[in-house]
Amino acid sequence: MTTSGRSPVTGSSPRRRSLLVGATATAAAVTLGASPAAAAAAAAGDEPAPGLDFDFDTDNFIRDLIITRANGVFPEEGVIGPMDASIYIWITTLFQLSWFDALAPYHPTAVGIHSRIARRPASEATTNRNKNIAGLYASLRVLEAFFAERVPVMKAGFTAVGLDPEDRSEDPATPIGIGNIAGKAIVRAHAHDGMNHAGDIGRKYHGKPYEDYTGYQPVNSAYKVVNPSRWQPNIHPHQRRVGGGPGDKGIWVIQKFVTPQLRLVKAYTYRNPGQFKLAAPDHSTHTNTRKYKRSVDEILSASANLTDEQKIKAEWFDNKLAGIALAPGAAAESHNLDLDGWVQLYAVTSLARFDDLIAAWYMKNKYDAVRPFTAVRHVYGRSKVSAWGGVGKGTVNDMPATEWESYLPVGDHPEYPSGSTTLCAAEAQAARRFLGDNVLDWRYDFPAGSLLTEPGQVPAKDTQLHWRTWDDFNRDCADSRVWGGVHFQTTVDRSLEFGAQFGDRAYDFLMRYINGDVKN
């Protein structure tokens, strides 16, 4: 059961990987070494799942079973189902925090964040066996509650490693019972946390998962700009942006602010997201003509001067499953962390991202700021501009500004702050604090022609990117949003500072639980 290709966290040497969560049954077949038909049948319960070579005593369930393997360039959003980054961050936080609670009873001092399970004898933690089992069962229980479409794949994986996914025992003296207790505790804490996972807030029938119940309405419509400083919903083809093909030709959809209710979800490290300071977006306020035009010109300059490397980075960081979510795994490998270290690093970075995004969404609601595509058209109208001309066209000099488009698809929410940039900054600062240094050392290979925006054309040659430090990672993450044409330069610069504070908060919070310095 050896698979070829890059490691998802190093992008270089082949490594044995299995995907239990973030894949379709067909994708799972690649990593489990079975035919697509066999894996699909296994996931559907029609036949046993193929065997999987996993050593419970020495292997690491996160590294060797959970992390998404990138069989193409990097994980496609389509393999976990199309969802906004805000929902993805919400789900993965709960998933990763379940690992911390599941392993806490096997740690000398740690206590769970959502559960209080009696400490187990040190003899039960001499190998990874009990920790691996507890972590996997906690994961499955969270998945069943919040990501049901992936449950068949994970259950097939359980069978492949010799576990019974239907064992729901809650004996706190066994790793299965500990995992089930920990996972269910996370579920209870977040089943009605304001994210509206079930879609039943404000309605009795026909629940719509993650539906807005706050009453948000944009000032501008997709067809008319009333206030050039405020967000305008974009019109785009009805399609999946990543891995979904050309979509339904001739059918267009209008954006709606995705999950504005996220700002109301309870954070872990603060009570009120309004307590944080973020200067008003004066650089995208149209009444400040000079700054508004400068912001637009910076976007156009970036668009006109795009390099292959910048295009790679734009797509990489736009895919949160790849550019942001895999980074902690790269750091864990570069620091040679043990299983407890992996769990704790993922916990602290996921906490940082979770609390950061709640505050970022609060600010997006507060400022409701304009996206570059609206501002470019407002400033230049039908005047000719120099910019990227579309797939295969490179830079053109005769484009009417009304036809300008960003390299990346425009997010379904207001521009300020940059959610992606704040996530990178929060995650990076949490990792720095936890690891005690600035080292990331993440390399990733991108084959020629592998980008999704310009397939077969970009990059022109095989390219390897290397983020030596978290500082390098942050700078590229921020600037990639400008290269992609979806955020202004001042926005991303301010977003780096705004996001970092949540990394500090997450570290201070988690260390109290690692050290057992919390009240029962």
Side-chain angles (χ1 to χ4, degrees):
M1 199 288 300
T2 300
T3 57
S4 61
R6 72 178 65 81
S7 160
V9 291
T10 64
S12 52
S13 60
R15 183 186 181 101
R16 201 169 302 212
R17 283 283 188 258
S18 179
L19 180 63
L20 295 189
V21 181
T24 61
T26 301
V30 176
T31 55
L32 290 173
S35 69
D46 296 333
E47 60 182 70
L52 177 63
D53 181 11
F54 178 76
D55 188 324
F56 279 93
D57 290 312
T58 60
D59 285 346
N60 174 330
F61 79 96
I62 305 173
R63 182 191 63 208
D64 303 318
L65 294 177
I66 297 294
I67 289 180
T68 303
R69 176 178 169 77
N71 291 298
V73 181
F74 48 80
E76 296 182 356
E77 290 173 0
V79 302
I80 60 169
M83 66 172 69
D84 183 72
S86 60
I87 299 172
Y88 173 73
I89 295 299
W90 183 80
I91 290 175
T92 55
T93 297
L94 312 189
F95 194 68
Q96 292 169 8
L97 290 184
S98 76
W99 305 340
F100 182 85
D101 274 30
L103 268 65
Y106 298 104
H107 189 273
T109 59
V111 296
I113 297 172
H114 291 290
S115 56
R116 291 292 187 273
I117 305 170
R119 199 167 312 286
R120 301 303 304 158
S123 60
E124 294 185 11
T126 55
T127 74
N128 287 344
R129 175 170 294 273
N130 292 324
K131 297 176 185 178
N132 278 321
I133 294 171
L136 285 170
Y137 274 90
S139 301
L140 179 56
R141 299 310 164 219
V142 172
L143 211 65
E144 287 176 332
F146 299 125
F147 204 1
E149 56 268 42
R150 294 277 65 83
V151 169
V153 176
M154 192 165 190
K155 285 186 174 181
F158 265 55
T159 302
V161 296
L163 297 177
D164 178 7
E166 300 306 328
D167 189 336
R168 301 176 185 275
S169 61
E170 296 187 25
D171 182 350
T174 69
I176 294 175
I178 288 171
N180 285 334
I181 293 170
K184 290 180 179 180
I186 300 289
V187 171
R188 286 194 299 271
H190 287 277
H192 302 287
D193 68 354
M195 193 61 170
N196 200 20
H197 160 73
D200 56 359
I201 298 179
R203 63 166 62 238
K204 185 176 181 180
Y205 303 107
H206 302 296
K208 299 184 184 301
Y210 303 105
E211 182 184 36
D212 172 31
Y213 56 85
T214 68
Y216 171 86
Q217 293 186 1
V219 170
N220 301 311
S221 75
Y223 301 101
K224 183 177 181 180
V225 175
V226 176
N227 184 340
S229 303
R230 302 286 290 276
W231 182 60
Q232 178 187 23
N234 196 18
I235 303 175
H236 59 83
H238 182 262
Q239 63 178 358
R240 291 184 181 182
R241 171 60 184 85
V242 179
D248 299 325
K249 295 179 180 179
I251 299 178
W252 302 80
V253 296
I254 296 174
Q255 291 179 329
K256 182 178 180 180
F257 188 171
V258 65
T259 63
Q261 71 274 15
L262 176 59
R263 74 184 193 274
L264 303 177
V265 172
K266 183 180 179 180
Y268 283 89
T269 65
Y270 59 84
R271 292 186 177 182
N272 177 16
Q275 73 188 64
F276 303 105
K277 305 299 181 184
L278 181 65
D282 55 333
H283 59 288
S284 61
T285 300
H286 74 284
T287 53
N288 191 332
T289 307
R290 180 180 60 84
K291 287 187 176 181
Y292 192 90
K293 183 177 182 298
R294 183 175 66 189
S295 294
V296 166
D297 288 343
E298 289 170 343
I299 285 290
L300 291 175
S301 177
S303 177
N305 293 284
L306 283 173
T307 66
D308 277 13
E309 183 173 310
Q310 290 173 341
K311 291 176 179 179
I312 293 171
K313 290 175 179 177
E315 279 200 8
W316 177 250
F317 285 103
D318 193 52
N319 187 325
K320 312 307 180 290
L321 178 59
I324 298 176
L326 291 182
E333 289 204 346
S334 68
H335 288 78
N336 196 29
L337 298 184
D338 61 12
L339 179 54
D340 285 301
W342 275 74
V343 166
Q344 292 168 10
L345 178 59
Y346 267 96
V348 75
T349 51
S350 65
L351 280 168
R353 294 192 305 255
F354 186 84
D355 279 9
D356 162 78
L357 211 61
I358 292 170
W361 248 240
Y362 174 89
M363 295 300 176
K364 284 181 179 289
N365 275 269
K366 177 179 179 179
Y367 291 118
D368 197 40
V370 63
R371 286 277 182 175
F373 80 90
T374 304
V376 167
R377 296 167 187 177
H378 174 72
V379 170
Y380 286 105
R382 294 201 59 80
S383 297
K384 302 295 193 299
V385 297
S386 296
W388 175 66
V391 178
K393 295 184 181 296
T395 299
V396 299
N397 301 310
D398 61 347
M399 179 187 295
T402 52
E403 296 182 20
W404 182 85
E405 291 188 10
S406 53
Y407 191 80
L408 295 174
V410 182
D412 301 72
H413 40 78
E415 190 266 349
Y416 187 76
S418 163
S420 295
T421 305
T422 66
L423 287 171
C424 287
E427 172 178 273
Q429 182 61 9
R432 288 191 197 98
R433 293 287 305 279
F434 180 80
L435 297 168
D437 60 41
N438 192 32
V439 175
L440 177 56
D441 193 21
W442 191 10
R443 299 178 188 273
Y444 210 95
D445 297 318
F446 299 84
S450 58
L451 289 201
L452 297 165
T453 302
E454 298 179 275
Q457 302 177 39
V458 179
K461 60 181 180 180
D462 292 350
T463 302
Q464 183 183 83
L465 298 183
H466 179 208
W467 293 277
R468 184 178 58 86
T469 67
W470 285 104
D471 286 346
D472 297 338
F473 169 86
N474 271 351
R475 191 66 260 170
D476 276 351
C477 177
D479 290 341
S480 74
R481 310 306 286 165
V482 180
W483 301 330
V486 293
H487 285 290
F488 299 110
Q489 187 68 55
T490 300
T491 292
V492 300
D493 291 343
R494 291 180 182 175
S495 297
L496 282 174
E497 181 179 357
F498 183 78
Q501 62 189 313
F502 300 99
D504 288 321
R505 286 177 168 272
Y507 173 77
D508 293 340
F509 175 90
L510 190 68
M511 287 308 299
R512 291 197 297 272
Y513 284 86
I514 291 175
N515 295 326
D517 187 21
V518 293
K519 296 179 180 179
N520 290 326

